[in-house]
Amino acid sequence: MLRSDPLPGALVVLTVMTGMLDAISYLGLGKVFLAMMTGNAIFLGLSISGVTGFSTLRVLLAFACFATGIVLGTRAGRVAERRARRHWFFHAMAVELLVLAVATGLAFLVPAAGTPARTVVIALLALAMGARCATVRRLAVPDLPVTVGLTGTLIALVQDSPLTGGADALALRKAGVVLAMPLGAALGGLLMTAFGLGWSLLAALGLVLLVTAGVWWHPAGPARRG
C-alpha cells in the first residue's frame, strides 16, 4: 500500500506531529490546543467556570482560527481536486510549511510568554491545523483522520477486533493512528522540557518538511509521475 500510495504513511506521521504541536502549545502557549478542538471545548468550560490557568480569549482565538483554516483549506481543495490528490496534498503541505515557518520565527524572536506575538503564534498554528484537517477530510483515506475523529478510530479498532468477533484488515493502520498522537505528545513534552518553544516548533516544522519531501519524491508522488 505504501509503495503505491504515499498518503497513508504520511498521514500517520502527521498525526505524530499533531500530538507534538498540541503538547508544545499546551506547555508553551498557555494551556491551549491548536488541533484538538475537543480539548479546547473542555478548557473553555473550565475558564468560564473560573478555574485558574485557562484563558477564554486564547481558546476562542484557537477556535476561530481553526475554523478559518477549515474554510480556506476546503475552498483551496475544491479548486485543486481536479488534479491527482497527491498533487494538491503536496501543495497544501507547502502552504502549511510556510505558515509554520512564520510562527516558528516569531517564537524565536519573541521568546517571552504572554506577549502579543505569542497570540499571533497561536492564531497562525491553529489556522494551519484547520486547513490541514480540511485537506485530510477531503482526501478521505480510511481511518486516518489526523485530528478529526481520533476517538472514532479507537472505537472502530476495538469494535472490529477479534475481541468482538471481527476481522479488521486495517487494524494495523488504526492502531498506528491511535498510538501516533500520544507518541507525538511525548516527543513534544520532551522537546519543551529540554529546548523550549522555538526549538520545539522548529522540530515540528522539520517533521512536516520530511513528510512533504517524502510525498514529493515517492515513486507515486508528483516528482515521479508529474
Side-chain angles (χ1 to χ4, degrees):
M1 181 66 178
L2 291 177
R3 291 183 178 181
S4 62
D5 187 355
L7 294 183
L11 296 184
V12 171
V13 178
L14 288 178
T15 305
V16 174
M17 182 272 184
T18 298
M20 285 178 61
L21 197 60
D22 270 344
I24 292 167
S25 65
Y26 182 87
L27 296 172
L29 294 172
K31 293 184 178 180
V32 64
F33 289 137
L34 304 171
M36 192 169 62
M37 292 298 117
T38 303
N40 278 340
I42 302 301
F43 294 162
L44 180 61
L46 292 173
S47 175
I48 292 172
S49 70
V51 176
T52 58
F54 297 93
S55 169
T56 302
L57 178 61
R58 281 194 296 267
V59 172
L60 290 177
L61 176 66
F63 271 126
C65 292
F66 188 85
T68 301
I70 292 173
V71 172
L72 296 176
T74 300
R75 288 186 173 274
R78 286 174 180 166
V79 172
E81 67 183 357
R82 288 170 291 184
R83 306 189 67 188
R85 63 179 187 165
R86 60 182 178 272
H87 284 274
W88 55 270
F89 173 79
F90 172 79
H91 291 126
M93 295 312 301
V95 173
E96 180 178 320
L97 279 169
L98 177 61
V99 176
L100 290 175
V102 173
T104 301
L106 281 174
F108 274 112
L109 291 174
V110 190
T115 60
R118 291 293 181 96
T119 303
V120 177
V121 171
I122 292 171
L124 288 173
L125 294 176
L127 183 78
M129 292 301 98
R132 183 203 288 177
C133 286
T135 299
V136 171
R137 188 170 185 269
R138 292 186 74 81
L139 287 172
V141 178
D143 302 305
L144 286 169
V146 179
T147 59
V148 180
L150 188 61
T151 301
T153 302
L154 178 59
I155 292 170
L157 174 64
V158 176
Q159 196 170 46
D160 298 335
S161 72
L163 294 173
T164 61
D168 190 355
L170 297 178
L172 185 60
R173 177 187 295 182
K174 293 174 182 177
V177 173
V178 171
L179 294 173
M181 191 77 75
L183 173 61
L187 291 173
L190 290 171
L191 287 167
M192 282 296 297
T193 300
F195 303 108
L197 180 64
W199 290 105
S200 298
L201 288 177
L202 187 62
L205 173 66
L207 188 57
V208 176
L209 180 60
L210 287 174
V211 171
T212 306
V215 171
W216 177 257
W217 292 109
H218 188 275
R224 304 295 181 88
R225 294 196 173 184

